[in-house]
Amino acid sequence: MKSLQKFTELFAEQFDESEDVVFEPTTIFKDIDEWDSMIALSIIAMVDDEFDKTINGDIIKNANTIEELYNKVIE
Amino acid sequence: MATFEISGVLVEGIVTAVPKNSIDNLNDPHIEREQGEKVLKTTGIRYRRLANDTTTASDLCYVAAVNLLKQFQTFKGDIEILVFVSQTPDYILPATAPILQHKLGLASHVAAFDMNMGCSGYVYGLSTVTSILSTSMNPNAKALLLVGDTVSKLCTPSDSATYPLFGDAGSATLISKSKEGKFIFDLNSDGGGCDAIKVKKGGFRTTNENNMLNSNTTKPSLYLNGMDVFSFGISKVPKSIKSFLTFVDKEVSDFDYFIFHQANMFMNEKIRKKLKIESEKVPYSLHNFANTSSTTIPLTITTQLNEVTNKNNKVFCCGFGVGLSWASVILDLNKDIYILNIEIDE
């Protein structure tokens, strides 16, 4: 299973226009200006590719930080 | 999975009809330019064909059917089945299919009924008409499958989750009894996901004050949970197709085309890559026509398969979405098939 650090890197790769954002496990990702439903689809696809896990909209909606989402992905 | 094979039936022709009115998501006052660009980048959708206030899905199907039947005049009396697949019918009742039977001048011996299906509706519709047709006692029997929707009328311009994504279209497919021709179907459902794509108002589950029959309430509108539909699409659909292909002992290389429901190119590309299908075998119509619900599959055939009439083709179609419901069919599109897309100047 990939580490939280790797997940954070993969998470950050889904953003194109947030060079000034420092992505940390504690980052509240919905506060990032670029965050929207399209990025959310990229995250779902990335988790499917990299973790072989299908996450639904509720999992993303209920997570605040990157780490909280990671914990759901590896459950 | 519900898998079944139907032999001795063949697609004679497919005609689709779209309104001439084309809206550009990059030049629509209701959509911010940045939003339009994001929709284009992620879903592949740029243009939408919108029906005017008085044009219904059945009107689009009617024009498609008239143009299809023109090619098969001698067959008109042999049409025994007319099925109208739509989630935007003319009325709550009566069903729209008998209205179309009458309007098209078809005999009263036609069995005509509606099916309430969306994204998977073309494949479900094909399964129903071919099943009945194959058992007809008339060796010359034909079936007319009319599939269309005007989902744009359920989208409010202020809802950026639905408004830029849907267009209107209708289709008519003529199927005949024949010595050749075979369909293999795989039909699936999961009502556990019914909330993901939903129009609550207008039915009888909602309370009286929310019902569209009460004229004081707002019009029914479409709710779409894009994330849940995407999760469903990239996980369930490729698994289902893989199992079906294994079950019927076929491989991706056995097919000339894979026609997928057109909702989101990003989702379809994930599905295509998971199934290891070459990109040239997977055509898209959503850039020009957006998501036309039940009509995406025939519309992709008529507008994207330019060389389909050069040779006989083995085609795999899969519709997936509202229900949740997903359905695949393996069928032959022979080189003498009649295909056409027409624009309606309303």
Side-chain angles (χ1 to χ4, degrees):
Chain A
M1 187 58 71
K2 293 183 174 73
S3 66
L4 172 59
Q5 187 192 339
K6 182 68 184 167
F7 180 77
T8 307
E9 283 170 24
L10 291 165
F11 192 98
E13 282 174 16
Q14 310 310 315
F15 292 77
D16 296 330
E17 301 154 10
S18 303
E19 293 86 359
D20 53 332
V21 175
V22 180
F23 286 86
E24 306 271 8
T26 53
T27 302
I28 297 171
F29 56 84
K30 287 167 208 163
D31 286 349
I32 300 168
D33 284 346
E34 195 188 341
W35 173 261
D36 64 8
S37 59
M38 305 294 176
I39 301 271
L41 300 189
S42 301
I43 301 292
I44 292 169
M46 177 275 284
V47 171
D48 183 65
D49 281 344
E50 302 286 340
F51 292 82
D52 198 21
K53 172 130 184 189
T54 308
I55 54 170
N56 62 22
D58 278 348
I59 288 178
I60 291 193
K61 278 179 199 145
N62 293 333
N64 292 309
T65 64
I66 295 174
E67 185 169 11
E68 281 174 29
L69 187 58
Y70 174 76
N71 288 335
K72 282 288 175 189
V73 169
I74 61 168
E75 246 177 25
Chain B
M1 59 182 174
T3 306
F4 51 98
E5 181 179 307
I6 296 163
S7 297
V9 278
L10 190 70
V11 178
E12 299 261 20
I14 306 171
V15 175
T16 51
V18 294
K20 201 167 191 175
N21 179 25
S22 179
I23 303 294
D24 182 353
N25 278 348
L26 298 183
N27 193 20
D28 180 324
H30 301 294
I31 304 170
E32 285 179 29
R33 174 91 189 182
E34 195 184 331
Q35 172 70 7
E37 280 167 359
K38 271 188 181 168
V39 167
L40 175 59
K41 186 179 158 202
T42 309
T43 67
I45 293 167
R46 176 159 178 183
Y47 300 99
R48 295 169 291 127
R49 298 304 183 100
L50 300 191
N52 69 22
D53 285 347
T54 57
T55 301
T56 65
S58 83
D59 293 332
L60 299 173
C61 290
Y62 170 76
V63 175
V66 166
N67 282 274
L68 177 61
L69 293 176
K70 253 190 222 163
Q71 298 298 315
F72 300 93
Q73 273 300 335
T74 53
F75 293 154
K76 207 166 167 182
D78 286 326
I79 293 172
E80 295 198 340
I81 301 143
L82 186 159
V83 170
F84 177 63
V85 180
S86 181
Q87 296 191 313
T88 48
D90 285 7
Y91 307 107
I92 286 182
L93 62 91
T96 307
I99 297 171
L100 283 163
Q101 168 267 328
H102 176 70
K103 212 168 150 183
L104 288 165
L106 301 180
S108 59
H109 67 236
V110 172
F113 60 94
D114 288 7
M115 288 173 64
N116 178 346
M117 306 291 290
C119 315
S120 61
Y122 188 69
V123 178
Y124 262 87
L126 279 176
S127 77
T128 302
V129 297
T130 55
S131 299
I132 302 173
L133 190 63
S134 69
T135 60
S136 169
M137 295 170 83
N138 172 3
N140 299 317
K142 321 271 175 210
L144 195 53
L145 175 64
L146 305 180
V147 179
D149 269 302
T150 53
V151 174
S152 80
K153 297 186 182 199
L154 295 167
C155 304
T156 38
S158 58
D159 183 4
S160 63
T162 60
Y163 178 74
L165 305 181
F166 290 92
D168 305 327
S171 69
T173 303
L174 185 70
I175 299 144
S176 293
K177 286 197 89 159
S178 162
K179 286 193 180 114
E180 48 185 340
K182 184 169 78 174
F183 292 71
I184 311 173
F185 292 97
D186 174 38
L187 309 181
N188 305 273
S189 324
D190 179 11
C194 74
D195 289 332
I197 310 170
K198 201 169 205 177
V199 176
K200 270 190 175 176
K201 289 180 187 171
F204 294 89
R205 176 62 60 196
T206 46
T207 56
N208 281 341
E209 62 267 28
N210 287 332
N211 199 295
M212 141 172 114
L213 299 175
N214 181 337
S215 59
N216 295 325
T217 57
T218 52
K219 67 168 193 169
S221 62
L222 176 70
Y223 168 78
L224 174 71
N225 184 326
M227 284 192 263
D228 283 356
V229 176
F230 186 80
S231 297
F232 155 73
I234 64 168
S235 56
K236 204 84 112 182
V237 174
K239 273 186 202 147
S240 164
I241 292 174
K242 267 184 200 167
S243 314
F244 181 34
L245 288 174
T246 304
F247 186 75
V248 295
D249 198 21
K250 300 270 185 209
E251 292 176 14
V252 164
S253 58
D254 291 326
F255 298 92
D256 298 291
Y257 296 106
F258 284 78
I259 317 282
F260 294 129
H261 171 59
Q262 309 275 301
N264 181 326
M265 189 187 256
F266 182 35
M267 176 164 71
N268 284 19
E269 282 294 287
K270 295 288 299 178
I271 296 168
R272 181 183 72 74
K273 285 172 190 165
K274 279 189 172 183
L275 294 167
K276 298 185 172 61
I277 306 169
E278 303 92 319
S279 57
E280 57 270 23
K281 286 187 178 179
V282 182
Y284 287 99
S285 62
L286 45 61
H287 182 267
N288 292 332
F289 300 103
N291 180 349
T292 54
S293 185
S294 54
T295 324
T296 58
I297 290 173
L299 190 59
T300 302
I301 291 172
T302 59
T303 61
Q304 308 301 314
L305 304 195
N306 300 327
E307 293 173 4
V308 74
T309 51
N310 290 351
K311 65 178 184 67
N312 293 341
N313 293 276
K314 184 67 83 179
V315 178
F316 189 106
C317 302
C318 182
F320 44 89
V322 62
L324 297 171
S325 171
W326 59 107
S328 297
V329 59
I330 293 168
L331 77 163
D332 299 304
L333 294 181
N334 286 355
K335 64 178 180 346
D336 43 5
I337 188 174
Y338 178 73
I339 60 167
L340 176 72
N341 179 52
I342 44 180
E343 292 187 333
I344 302 175
D345 203 354
E346 298 160 286

Coordinates of all heavy atoms in Angstrom, one line a residue, chain A residues 16 34 36 38 40-42 44-45 48-49 54-58 60-61, chain B residues 35 38-39 41-42 223 225-228 230-231 234-235 264 266 270 274:
Chain A
D16 N -3.8 21.7 -11.5 CA -3.0 22.3 -12.5 C -2.6 23.8 -12.2 O -1.6 24.3 -12.7 CB -3.8 22.4 -13.8 CG -4.1 21.0 -14.4 OD1 -3.3 20.1 -14.1 OD2 -5.1 20.9 -15.0
E34 N -8.8 26.1 -6.5 CA -9.0 25.3 -7.7 C -9.9 24.1 -7.5 O -10.4 23.5 -8.5 CB -7.6 24.8 -8.2 CG -7.7 24.3 -9.7 CD -6.3 23.7 -10.1 OE1 -5.3 24.0 -9.4 OE2 -6.4 22.9 -11.1
D36 N -12.8 21.7 -7.3 CA -14.2 21.7 -7.8 C -14.5 20.3 -8.1 O -13.8 19.3 -7.9 CB -14.3 22.6 -9.0 CG -13.5 22.2 -10.2 OD1 -12.9 21.1 -10.2 OD2 -13.4 23.0 -11.2
M38 N -14.7 18.8 -10.9 CA -13.9 18.1 -11.9 C -12.6 17.6 -11.3 O -12.2 16.5 -11.6 CB -13.5 19.2 -13.0 CG -14.7 19.9 -13.6 SD -15.7 18.8 -14.6 CE -17.0 19.9 -15.1
A40 N -12.5 16.6 -8.3 CA -12.9 15.5 -7.5 C -13.0 14.2 -8.4 O -12.6 13.1 -7.9 CB -14.3 15.7 -6.9
L41 N -13.4 14.3 -9.6 CA -13.4 13.2 -10.5 C -12.0 12.7 -10.8 O -11.8 11.4 -10.8 CB -14.1 13.5 -11.9 CG -15.5 14.0 -11.9 CD1 -16.0 14.1 -13.3 CD2 -16.4 13.1 -11.1
S42 N -11.1 13.6 -10.9 CA -9.7 13.2 -11.1 C -9.1 12.4 -9.8 O -8.4 11.5 -10.0 CB -8.8 14.4 -11.3 OG -9.2 15.1 -12.4
I44 N -11.0 10.6 -7.8 CA -11.6 9.3 -7.8 C -10.9 8.4 -8.8 O -10.6 7.2 -8.5 CB -13.1 9.4 -8.2 CG1 -13.9 10.1 -7.1 CG2 -13.8 8.0 -8.5 CD1 -15.3 10.5 -7.5
A45 N -10.5 9.0 -9.9 CA -9.8 8.2 -11.0 C -8.4 7.8 -10.5 O -8.0 6.6 -10.7 CB -9.7 9.0 -12.3
D48 N -8.7 5.0 -8.0 CA -9.0 3.8 -8.7 C -7.7 3.2 -9.4 O -7.4 2.0 -9.3 CB -10.0 4.1 -9.8 CG -10.5 2.9 -10.5 OD1 -11.1 2.0 -9.9 OD2 -10.2 2.8 -11.8
D49 N -6.9 4.1 -10.0 CA -5.7 3.7 -10.7 C -4.6 3.2 -9.7 O -4.0 2.1 -9.9 CB -5.1 4.8 -11.5 CG -5.8 5.1 -12.8 OD1 -6.5 4.2 -13.2 OD2 -5.6 6.2 -13.4
T54 N -12.5 1.8 -5.3 CA -13.6 2.8 -5.8 C -14.1 3.6 -4.6 O -14.6 3.0 -3.7 CB -14.7 2.0 -6.5 OG1 -14.2 1.1 -7.4 CG2 -15.7 3.0 -7.1
I55 N -14.0 4.9 -4.7 CA -14.5 5.7 -3.7 C -15.7 6.5 -4.3 O -15.6 6.9 -5.4 CB -13.5 6.7 -3.0 CG1 -12.8 7.5 -4.1 CG2 -12.5 5.9 -2.2 CD1 -12.0 8.6 -3.5
N56 N -16.8 6.7 -3.5 CA -17.9 7.4 -4.0 C -17.9 8.9 -3.5 O -17.0 9.3 -2.8 CB -19.2 6.7 -3.6 CG -19.4 6.7 -2.1 OD1 -18.8 7.5 -1.4 ND2 -20.2 5.7 -1.7
G57 N -18.9 9.6 -3.9 CA -18.9 11.1 -3.6 C -19.0 11.3 -2.1 O -18.4 12.3 -1.7
D58 N -19.7 10.5 -1.4 CA -19.8 10.7 0.1 C -18.5 10.7 0.8 O -18.2 11.5 1.7 CB -20.7 9.7 0.7 CG -22.2 10.1 0.5 OD1 -22.5 11.2 0.1 OD2 -23.1 9.2 0.7
I60 N -15.6 11.5 -0.4 CA -14.9 12.8 -0.6 C -15.6 13.9 0.1 O -14.9 14.8 0.8 CB -14.9 13.1 -2.1 CG1 -13.9 12.1 -2.8 CG2 -14.4 14.5 -2.4 CD1 -13.5 12.4 -4.2
K61 N -16.9 13.9 0.1 CA -17.6 15.0 0.8 C -17.4 15.0 2.3 O -17.3 16.0 3.0 CB -19.2 14.9 0.6 CG -19.6 15.4 -0.8 CD -21.1 15.2 -1.0 CE -21.4 15.4 -2.5 NZ -22.5 14.5 -2.9
Chain B
Q35 N -15.9 28.0 -16.7 CA -16.6 26.8 -16.4 C -16.8 26.0 -17.7 O -16.7 24.7 -17.8 CB -18.0 27.2 -15.8 CG -19.0 26.0 -15.7 CD -18.6 25.0 -14.6 OE1 -17.7 25.3 -13.9 NE2 -19.4 23.9 -14.5
K38 N -13.7 24.2 -18.5 CA -13.5 23.0 -17.6 C -14.3 21.9 -18.1 O -13.9 20.7 -18.1 CB -13.8 23.4 -16.2 CG -12.6 24.0 -15.4 CD -13.0 24.1 -14.0 CE -11.7 24.7 -13.3 NZ -12.0 25.2 -11.9
V39 N -15.6 22.2 -18.4 CA -16.5 21.1 -18.9 C -15.9 20.5 -20.1 O -15.9 19.2 -20.3 CB -17.9 21.7 -19.1 CG1 -18.8 20.7 -19.9 CG2 -18.6 22.0 -17.8
K41 N -12.8 20.3 -21.1 CA -11.6 19.6 -20.8 C -11.9 18.2 -20.2 O -11.3 17.2 -20.5 CB -10.7 20.4 -19.9 CG -9.3 19.9 -19.6 CD -8.5 20.8 -18.7 CE -7.4 20.0 -18.0 NZ -6.9 20.6 -16.8
T42 N -12.8 18.3 -19.2 CA -13.1 17.0 -18.5 C -14.1 16.1 -19.2 O -13.8 14.9 -19.3 CB -13.7 17.4 -17.1 OG1 -12.9 18.3 -16.5 CG2 -13.8 16.1 -16.2
Y223 N -31.4 16.1 -10.9 CA -30.3 16.1 -10.0 C -29.3 15.1 -10.4 O -29.7 14.0 -10.8 CB -30.8 15.8 -8.5 CG -29.6 15.4 -7.6 CD1 -28.9 16.5 -7.1 CD2 -29.3 14.1 -7.3 CE1 -27.8 16.2 -6.2 CE2 -28.2 13.8 -6.5 CZ -27.5 14.9 -6.0 OH -26.4 14.6 -5.2
N225 N -25.5 13.4 -9.3 CA -24.4 13.3 -8.4 C -23.2 12.8 -9.3 O -23.0 11.6 -9.5 CB -24.7 12.4 -7.3 CG -23.5 12.3 -6.3 OD1 -22.3 12.4 -6.7 ND2 -23.8 12.1 -5.0
G226 N -22.5 13.8 -9.9 CA -21.4 13.4 -10.8 C -20.4 12.5 -10.3 O -19.9 11.6 -11.0
M227 N -20.0 12.7 -9.0 CA -19.0 11.8 -8.4 C -19.4 10.4 -8.3 O -18.7 9.5 -8.6 CB -18.6 12.4 -7.1 CG -17.7 13.6 -7.1 SD -17.0 14.1 -5.5 CE -18.2 15.3 -5.0
D228 N -20.7 10.2 -7.8 CA -21.1 8.8 -7.7 C -21.3 8.1 -9.1 O -21.0 6.9 -9.2 CB -22.5 8.8 -6.9 CG -22.3 9.0 -5.4 OD1 -21.1 9.1 -5.0 OD2 -23.3 9.1 -4.7
F230 N -19.6 8.8 -11.7 CA -18.3 8.6 -12.2 C -17.7 7.3 -11.6 O -17.1 6.4 -12.3 CB -17.4 9.8 -11.9 CG -16.0 9.7 -12.5 CD1 -15.8 10.0 -13.9 CD2 -14.9 9.4 -11.7 CE1 -14.5 9.9 -14.4 CE2 -13.6 9.3 -12.3 CZ -13.4 9.6 -13.6
S231 N -17.8 7.2 -10.3 CA -17.3 6.0 -9.6 C -17.9 4.7 -10.1 O -17.3 3.7 -10.4 CB -17.6 6.1 -8.1 OG -17.0 7.1 -7.5
I234 N -16.5 4.0 -13.8 CA -15.2 3.5 -14.0 C -14.9 2.2 -13.3 O -14.0 1.5 -13.6 CB -14.1 4.5 -13.6 CG1 -14.2 4.8 -12.1 CG2 -14.2 5.8 -14.4 CD1 -13.0 5.6 -11.6
S235 N -15.8 1.8 -12.4 CA -15.6 0.5 -11.7 C -16.6 -0.6 -12.3 O -16.1 -1.6 -12.8 CB -15.8 0.7 -10.2 OG -17.1 1.2 -10.0
N264 N -19.4 11.5 -20.5 CA -18.2 12.1 -20.0 C -17.0 11.4 -20.6 O -16.8 10.2 -20.4 CB -18.2 11.9 -18.5 CG -17.0 12.6 -17.8 OD1 -15.9 12.6 -18.3 ND2 -17.2 13.1 -16.6
F266 N -13.8 11.7 -20.1 CA -12.8 11.3 -19.1 C -13.2 9.9 -18.6 O -12.3 9.0 -18.5 CB -12.8 12.4 -18.0 CG -11.8 12.2 -16.9 CD1 -10.6 11.6 -17.1 CD2 -12.1 12.6 -15.6 CE1 -9.7 11.4 -16.1 CE2 -11.2 12.4 -14.6 CZ -10.0 11.8 -14.8
K270 N -11.3 6.2 -19.3 CA -10.9 5.3 -18.2 C -11.4 3.9 -18.6 O -10.7 2.9 -18.4 CB -11.5 5.7 -16.9 CG -11.0 7.0 -16.4 CD -9.6 7.0 -15.9 CE -9.4 6.0 -14.7 NZ -8.0 6.0 -14.3
K274 N -9.1 0.6 -19.4 CA -9.2 -0.6 -18.6 C -9.5 -1.8 -19.4 O -9.0 -2.9 -19.1 CB -10.3 -0.4 -17.5 CG -9.9 0.4 -16.3 CD -11.0 0.3 -15.3 CE -10.5 1.0 -14.0 NZ -11.4 0.9 -12.9

